[in-house]
Amino acid sequence: MEARLLERGKTSGRADDNIESIRKRFLTFHQESRPVVERFQADGRVVRIDAEQHRDDVWRDVQALFGPSVVFVLGGPGSGKGTQCTKIAESFGYVHLSAGDLLREERAREGSEYGELINSYIKEGKLVPVEITIELIKQADAMVKFGWEGGRYLIDGFPRSFDNLKGVSEATVCPEFLTH
């Protein structure tokens, strides 16, 4: 880091990019700031990124942390998922996507590719195939409509089974969908 700061000092115009100031800044960091980092780390609130990589690789790792956020909200029927998701969306700026609402909208949509199939599964009390639910989540009516990049999404009522979970793991259109 010292070498990096000295190199930066050649063009930065910063008065503190000299060897004496840099070493004082390191000492201050270790005495004052590092304990804060250690406290956050003990609380499980630190994510480390290898800053010795090429800067494009560092940026890729940073983007992964601040990219889209997907939170799956699960619970039994009547557990208040929808109510709490509405409050979270209003309070924290998430987009609330209800898997059940998306399925109902698709069933009601005239000319729906999936409507009859969804109806038959629901009539039998079975879960709709994961591929259909994921497709509805990713369609223009959902994440694409709201802008995937940097989006914050609550997906209410999905995944509902290990088959659904496996389907999420195999999704390919939005790879970020898998990592949050």
Side-chain angles (χ1 to χ4, degrees), residues 8-132:
R8 181 181 78 178
K10 294 176 183 175
T11 59
S12 72
R14 290 180 55 163
D16 61 345
D17 277 349
N18 62 68
I19 194 68
E20 186 178 318
S21 293
I22 289 169
R23 289 184 177 162
K24 287 178 183 176
R25 288 164 51 204
F26 284 145
L27 183 60
T28 299
F29 172 79
H30 284 287
Q31 291 174 341
E32 302 292 331
S33 303
R34 183 152 190 114
V36 174
V37 173
E38 289 169 354
R39 172 64 179 272
F40 282 151
Q41 186 170 1
D43 292 345
R45 297 168 46 187
V46 170
V47 177
R48 293 187 178 273
I49 294 175
D50 178 4
E52 292 185 21
Q53 309 174 78
H54 184 275
R55 68 177 168 207
D56 293 339
D57 295 327
V58 173
W59 176 237
R60 179 203 61 228
D61 291 350
V62 168
Q63 284 180 299
L65 293 173
F66 292 94
S69 173
V70 176
V71 177
F72 296 101
V73 180
L74 306 173
S79 63
K81 296 180 303 291
T83 301
Q84 294 306 313
C85 284
T86 298
K87 290 180 178 182
I88 292 167
E90 290 170 359
S91 298
F92 301 107
Y94 279 78
V95 174
H96 175 201
L97 302 173
S98 165
D101 287 350
L102 292 171
L103 291 168
R104 282 186 286 280
E105 289 169 13
E106 184 65 17
R107 284 172 51 197
R109 190 173 62 80
E110 194 170 318
S112 166
E113 175 183 350
Y114 304 116
E116 287 302 314
L117 186 59
I118 293 169
N119 277 332
S120 69
Y121 276 92
I122 290 174
K123 193 176 206 178
E124 294 179 33
K126 295 181 178 178
L127 296 177
V128 173
V130 65
E131 299 82 12
I132 293 174

